[in-house]
Amino acid sequence: MMAPVLKVTDLKKAYGAIQAVGGVSFEVMPGEIFGVIGPNGSGKTTMFNSVLGQISPDAGAIELNGKNITGLSPLELSRRGVGRTFQTLQVFGKMTVRDNLIVAAQEHTGSMFGRMFAPPDSGLGAKADALIDQFRIRHVADSLANTLSYGQQKLVDIAMAFMAEPDLVLLDEPCAGVNPSLVGGISTLLKDLNRTRKGSFVVIEHNMDFVMDLCHRIMVMVEGRVLAIGTPAEIRANKEVLDAYLGN
Ligand SMILES: Nc1ncnc2c1ncn2[C@@H]1O[C@H](COP(=O)(O)OP(=O)(O)O)[C@@H](O)[C@H]1O
Ligand SMILES: [Mg+2]
């Protein structure tokens, strides 16, 4: 039996009277693309932020490759191979695409000051260039990020998460705000990254066609709880899911 990369057990987080996450458990296997769907306010981002050390959960355990990582800081998690993208863009508009990638990698290796006094390029340029080619953004590599379309900036944002060569990447709505014509490209890209870099992904996304096409398994969250976990075919055929979510 393969051991899970990520194991979340009975995770809970409340904001006052709102139980944002009310006892969520799931496992992500090596190399798996694990989708998370659910209506707005169902606790997807709160679950993500708990796993990523951005907020501290009220209860529950989070294990990475069998080790307890509950309560570790985002920096410590990134050192242990956990990457993320945010629901909103996190690129530096006044920097070139290539420099955005390089800074993203430096962020995970040290402090701001460490970065400023570090040698200008310690192999990061080559890593950035490999991702620029894989993401097919060579033609804009030297452009300032804020001159790119939203969809292209999203690609840069995703590429930044891969600079640290993570084993596990959590992506919060990678297609949000992206022109529908580019959604297929993001799916193809994530499949390519999954195949060539052997990482596991957890992907929150509203775009149902995208999730069904991309993910090996999908977890459906409703009101802070897990309604179902299964393959795309199982989720499509699940009556409870249809009633509670897909049907509306
Ligand atoms: N920082 C916060 N303070 C208070 N309530 C919050 C906060 N973050 C999320 N919530 C509430 O928790 C619930 C789950 O939100 P969220 O995790 O963002 O859901 P989703 O990502 O599925 O849309 C919602 O009712 C939301 O209003
Ligand atoms: Mg959200």
Side-chain angles (χ1 to χ4, degrees):
M1 256 295 269
M2 255 196 303
V5 174
L6 177 68
K7 182 173 176 174
V8 173
T9 310
D10 207 18
L11 186 72
K12 292 180 182 159
K13 177 71 184 180
Y15 292 108
I18 298 169
Q19 192 70 47
V21 174
V24 164
S25 303
F26 64 93
E27 294 182 352
V28 179
M29 303 310 287
E32 185 169 42
I33 306 181
F34 188 84
V36 181
I37 63 173
N40 268 328
S42 57
K44 305 182 297 297
T45 296
T46 303
M47 179 275 288
F48 249 46
N49 287 340
S50 305
V51 170
L52 290 155
Q54 233 93 30
I55 58 174
S56 45
D58 301 331
I62 303 158
E63 283 172 47
L64 181 71
N65 295 315
K67 295 202 177 73
N68 185 4
I69 57 161
T70 321
L72 293 188
S73 70
L75 179 63
E76 183 57 36
L77 288 173
S78 105
R79 287 188 175 137
R80 292 184 188 211
V82 182
R84 82 166 301 176
T85 69
F86 290 82
Q87 204 165 339
T88 50
L89 281 178
Q90 305 288 316
V91 303
F92 301 104
K94 295 247 159 71
M95 285 172 52
T96 67
V97 165
R98 197 164 178 278
D99 286 346
N100 263 285
L101 292 184
I102 289 169
V103 166
Q106 287 168 337
E107 211 156 82
H108 123 112
T109 53
S111 69
M112 178 84 152
F113 285 111
R115 235 181 282 160
M116 278 158 60
F117 297 113
D121 185 346
S122 23
L124 295 178
K127 260 192 215 175
D129 284 326
L131 280 167
I132 284 166
D133 287 334
Q134 189 162 17
F135 278 67
R136 299 167 197 259
I137 48 177
R138 171 62 56 197
H139 56 297
V140 292
D142 296 316
S143 304
L144 297 183
N146 63 10
T147 64
L148 274 55
S149 73
Y150 186 87
Q152 280 179 321
Q153 289 189 53
K154 198 80 190 179
L155 289 181
V156 176
D157 196 44
I158 296 171
M160 286 164 74
F162 283 89
M163 276 300 285
E165 300 182 349
D167 300 324
L168 173 69
V169 185
L170 287 80
L171 302 107
D172 198 350
E173 302 198 25
C175 301
V178 172
N179 187 303
S181 66
L182 297 176
V183 166
I186 292 182
S187 178
T188 304
L189 179 65
L190 290 176
K191 285 179 191 167
D192 187 48
L193 288 162
N194 177 250
R195 200 182 58 247
T196 58
R197 294 175 182 252
K198 315 271 180 251
S200 308
F201 304 159
V202 183
V203 188
I204 295 179
E205 184 48 59
H206 283 296
N207 186 317
M208 202 56 65
D209 292 338
F210 175 87
V211 170
M212 293 285 175
D213 170 64
L214 174 68
C215 299
H216 302 125
R217 284 189 307 144
I218 297 165
M219 173 166 79
V220 184
M221 287 182 67
V222 175
E223 293 177 0
R225 294 180 173 278
V226 178
L227 185 65
I229 298 178
T231 63
E234 286 165 353
I235 293 299
R236 250 197 220 102
N238 184 309
K239 186 167 180 322
E240 271 188 308
V241 174
L242 286 173
D243 289 348
Y245 183 53
L246 297 175
N248 65 21

